């Protein structure tokens, strides 16, 4: 049972610079992460998927320290479609270092609050064994709604409810709007990172051609409590081949002023299959 517990539980605030696959494609932003990418944005954007699916993403981050090092992580997702009025997603996260010490298991559920509004909630068990074994529980939640025909709004939060290594809980917030004039999608968002220690403003865009190819890019301005400012930029693409989706992205920190947020480059590849 102890080994099983270790297998399924990551410290919520792992390493913030280890940006998820979608964020590095959009310069540190997550507001455009809808449907199968919703695990990297608001969980309320999961509702509406029409197929069950399985996906995997590999991410590598290169630090700016000398000598530099590569931090590698792996995401696995299993999706349940929205046919019964609710969509679900099981996510497993781990690092892939030789001395691997990060594990996380979470489940997302998302449904409709009305014809124009969806909700979502994600519950996570996590663990890190870097110096001492630390367990944690975290939760994310969000609401997505349509304000006008071409404008959607998103409000979400994430919270570290409990951690065995700390008595201090943390909360981060995200709020923004999406403009969806097909085939474009443009997102503007405000949010916080690292328990509100970093505030950010992000702008990102996506272009989709005939539902077969998507290209996305973005930039975010991040400021810490000492008024240090980092600019994160990124870009990526997604190609559909039958029921398969192939994704790739790359991002970088242009300024590296915030110590806990600095990296030289970050890239990812992913594959998703639907049925």
């Amino acid at each position: 049972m102890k080994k099983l517990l270790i297998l399924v539980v990551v410290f919520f605030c792992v390493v913030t610079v280890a940006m998820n696959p979608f964020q590095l494609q959009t310069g540190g932003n997550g507001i455009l992460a809808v449907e199968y990418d919703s695990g990297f944005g608001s969980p309320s954007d999961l509702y509406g998927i029409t197929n069950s699916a399985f996906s995997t993403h590999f991410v590598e981050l290169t630090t700016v320290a000398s000598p530099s090092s590569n931090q590698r992580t792996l995401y696995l997702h299993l999706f349940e479609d929205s046919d019964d009025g609710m969509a679900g997603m099981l996510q497993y996260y781990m690092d892939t270092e030789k001395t691997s010490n990060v594990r996380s298991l979470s489940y997302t559920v998302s449904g409709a609050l009305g014809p124009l509004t969806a909700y979502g909630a994600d519950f996570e068990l996590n663990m890190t064994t870097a110096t001492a074994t630390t367990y944690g529980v975290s939760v994310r939640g969000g609401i997505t709604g349509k304000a006008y025909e071409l404008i959607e709004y998103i409000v979400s939060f994430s919270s570290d409810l409990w951690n065995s290594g700390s008595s201090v809980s943390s909360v981060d917030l995200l709020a923004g709007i999406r403009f969806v004039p097909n085939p474009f999608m443009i997102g503007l968002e405000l949010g916080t990172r690292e328990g509100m220690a970093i505030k950010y403003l992000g702008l990102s865009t996506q272009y989709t051609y005939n539902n077969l190819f998507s290209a996305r890019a973005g930039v975010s301005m991040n400021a810490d409590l000492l008024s240090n400012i980092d600019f994160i930029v990124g870009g990526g693409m997604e190609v559909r081949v039958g029921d398969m989706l192939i994704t790739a992205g790359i991002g970088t920190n242009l300024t590296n002023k915030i110590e806990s947020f600095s990296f030289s480059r970050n890239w990812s590849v992913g594959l998703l299959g639907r049925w």
Side-chain angles (χ1 to χ4, degrees), residues 29 37 40 49 52 82 84 106 117 136 147 149 154 191-192 223 236-240 266 270:
N29 305 320
D37 292 310
F40 308 123
I49 59 173
S52 296
S82 308
D84 60 355
S106 66
T117 310
E149 183 177 356
I154 300 91
T192 65
M237 66 177 185
E238 182 177 281
V239 179
R240 186 185 306 274
N266 197 357

Side-chain angles (χ1 to χ4, degrees), residues 185-205:
M185 186 160 58
I186 303 167
L188 178 66
E189 64 189 271
L190 291 166
T192 65
R193 313 186 199 272
E194 296 188 354
M196 297 192 179
I198 298 176
K199 279 74 173 177
Y200 79 93
L201 169 66
L203 174 66
S204 48
T205 185

Side-chain angles (χ1 to χ4, degrees), residues 100-170:
S100 179
N101 55 41
V102 173
R103 296 288 186 274
S104 170
L105 184 70
S106 66
Y107 185 74
T108 300
V109 61
S110 181
L113 286 174
L116 301 178
T117 310
Y119 73 91
D122 176 89
F123 302 92
E124 180 182 292
L125 301 174
N126 45 66
M127 181 203 69
T128 183
T129 57
T131 53
T133 301
T134 305
Y135 303 97
V137 177
S138 62
V139 63
R140 295 189 305 132
I143 294 176
T144 299
K146 185 178 289 290
Y148 297 96
E149 183 177 356
L150 298 178
I151 300 178
E152 300 171 346
Y153 65 87
I154 300 91
V155 179
S156 69
F157 74 94
S158 60
S159 176
D160 183 4
L161 295 180
W162 171 80
N163 187 276
S164 63
S166 172
S167 59
V168 179
S169 61
S170 64

Side-chain angles (χ1 to χ4, degrees), residues 211-235:
N211 204 33
L212 296 175
F213 171 82
S214 295
R216 49 181 78 106
V219 60
S220 68
M221 181 179 70
N222 303 264
D224 67 6
L225 299 178
L226 300 176
S227 298
N228 296 311
I229 296 177
D230 275 357
F231 289 91
I232 311 295
V233 297

